[in-house]
Amino acid sequence: MTTSTKPVGASSEDSAAGPGSLRWHGPLIALAATMAITGLVSIGGLLLDGRELVGAPIWAKPFKFSVSILIYAVTWAWLIGQLRRFRRIAWWAGTVISATLFIEMAAVISQTVRGERSHFNQQTPYDDFVWSVMGATIAVLWLATLVAAILLWFSPYADRARTLAVRLGSVICLVGLSLGFLMTIPSEAQMAAGGDIVGAHTVGAVDGGPGILILGWSTEHGDLRIPHFVGMHALQLIPLALILVELASRRIPILRDVRVRVGLVWTTAVVYTGVVALVTWQALRGQSIVQPDGLTLLAAGAIVVVAGVGVAASLAMGRSRSGAGAGIAP
């Protein structure tokens, strides 16, 4: 099915699209393909390059960034292809997202090859330049993601639950991206020392201590990468949760009620937001994700209770509808 390339406005480009009109966003798919290659290169680096940087294998960061950006790019390429309105604006937003992440990854890999830190590094004029470029591209990335997320709110899907899952996932994703800026704030010790590293992901210690395998998140102190990562990938995880519900509906009839699925999406989003808030609070207190204290466990318990109440209320809504239908049946 072909679509018009007329300017946005009263054109067929902004009208409702037919079922065969999905178009993957080319630049984002190109970015995803590039990340698959850099991911493989990073695996090679992990196997062949024994260097370490800030307490971790030097190729660990390029590998993690490659995987995360690949998932992010494929998700936005699909979402933008699904849009029924404002496709041209969405295409440009997606193109800006892909360009900024290309630049970000190029900076990470170039500094890895040099054996230097990419983030927070102001040791030399070149390092300072690289970090300044990365900071600028991150800000542009956030703005482009904001534009794309806003467009999602003006292009509903046929299924209300799917529409809600995508919209709420995009909002929480923006929050997660925003939380990354917390890492750019210099610590009191850095300000006092006036050093060449300005910013950190560890709270309560310098970067480079013991971390969780592969992820590298601190096992002894707070780590701001956790809320950034968890929040950013709400864009995938909330719609994925709905997909699992839809699959379960083949065996559980009550889940076929769209009102039940909408309620479950709201529950998932509220619980997910609570988790993002909890891991942010935990990190800012300098507490490791693997060493929660009583307050953290209490808050986690409250989130579990909210999840249970939300699921029960959503299912009850479906049962009440079924009961009402049975009562008026001939």
Side-chain angles (χ1 to χ4, degrees):
M1 176 178 178
T2 58
T3 54
S4 170
T5 56
K6 295 177 182 179
V8 176
S11 70
S12 59
E13 187 177 355
D14 287 342
S15 62
S21 62
L22 170 61
R23 299 180 302 177
W24 290 84
H25 188 277
L28 283 167
I29 290 298
L31 172 65
T34 303
M35 292 305 102
I37 295 171
T38 59
L40 292 174
V41 170
S42 299
I43 291 174
L46 288 168
L47 295 174
L48 302 175
D49 189 342
R51 291 180 298 166
E52 290 192 354
L53 185 65
V54 198
I58 198 166
W59 285 95
K61 176 175 283 189
F63 174 73
K64 290 186 292 183
F65 269 59
S66 295
V67 173
S68 182
I69 292 174
L70 189 155
I71 295 170
Y72 192 78
V74 169
T75 303
W76 273 116
W78 182 78
L79 289 173
I80 290 174
Q82 294 271 332
L83 288 175
R84 301 181 179 187
R85 304 180 62 202
F86 305 110
R87 286 183 168 183
R88 180 163 295 179
I89 299 174
W91 187 89
W92 280 110
T95 301
V96 172
I97 290 173
S98 62
T100 55
L101 290 174
F102 266 119
I103 295 171
E104 184 85 357
M105 197 62 192
V108 170
I109 290 181
S110 66
Q111 289 291 73
T112 298
V113 171
R114 294 180 64 236
E116 300 291 343
R117 297 180 62 165
S118 54
H119 289 69
F120 322 126
N121 189 354
Q122 299 178 349
Q123 295 182 85
T124 68
Y126 179 78
D127 293 326
D128 188 31
F129 170 74
V130 171
W131 174 230
S132 298
V133 170
M134 292 180 71
T137 57
I138 291 169
V140 175
L141 168 66
W142 191 91
L143 290 172
T145 303
L146 173 63
V147 171
I150 290 173
L151 295 180
L152 293 178
W153 286 80
F154 289 95
S155 186
Y157 299 90
D159 183 276
R160 286 193 292 130
R162 291 184 183 183
T163 299
L164 186 63
V166 169
R167 289 174 174 177
L168 294 179
S170 67
V171 170
I172 300 173
C173 171
L174 280 167
V175 173
L177 285 173
S178 301
L179 291 172
F181 290 103
L182 292 175
M183 291 182 273
T184 65
I185 301 173
S187 66
E188 292 183 3
Q190 288 174 337
M191 294 178 66
D196 297 322
I197 302 298
V198 180
H201 51 73
T202 305
V203 178
V206 297
D207 290 343
I212 297 173
L213 182 65
I214 298 177
L215 294 172
W217 298 340
S218 178
T219 56
E220 295 181 345
H221 302 279
D223 199 316
L224 292 168
R225 291 175 295 186
I226 299 173
H228 176 56
F229 176 88
V230 173
M232 187 175 70
H233 288 293
L235 187 66
Q236 293 84 33
L237 294 178
I238 292 179
L240 177 60
L242 176 61
I243 290 172
L244 295 177
V245 169
E246 291 176 346
L247 292 174
S249 69
R250 298 175 181 177
R251 294 182 175 272
I252 307 174
I254 196 172
L255 298 179
R256 298 170 193 166
D257 186 337
V258 69
R259 296 195 311 167
V260 172
R261 297 198 303 277
V262 167
L264 291 174
V265 170
W266 273 113
T267 299
T268 302
V270 169
V271 168
Y272 202 100
T273 301
V275 171
V276 173
L278 176 59
V279 295
T280 303
W281 178 55
Q282 188 179 21
L284 290 173
R285 289 190 295 142
Q287 184 181 108
S288 170
I289 189 72
V290 298
Q291 297 182 18
D293 63 8
L295 283 175
T296 300
L297 292 174
L298 183 63
I303 292 173
V304 171
V305 170
V306 170
V309 171
V311 170
S314 299
L315 296 177
M317 196 161 33
R319 294 193 186 97
S320 66
R321 184 174 182 179
S322 300
I328 61 175

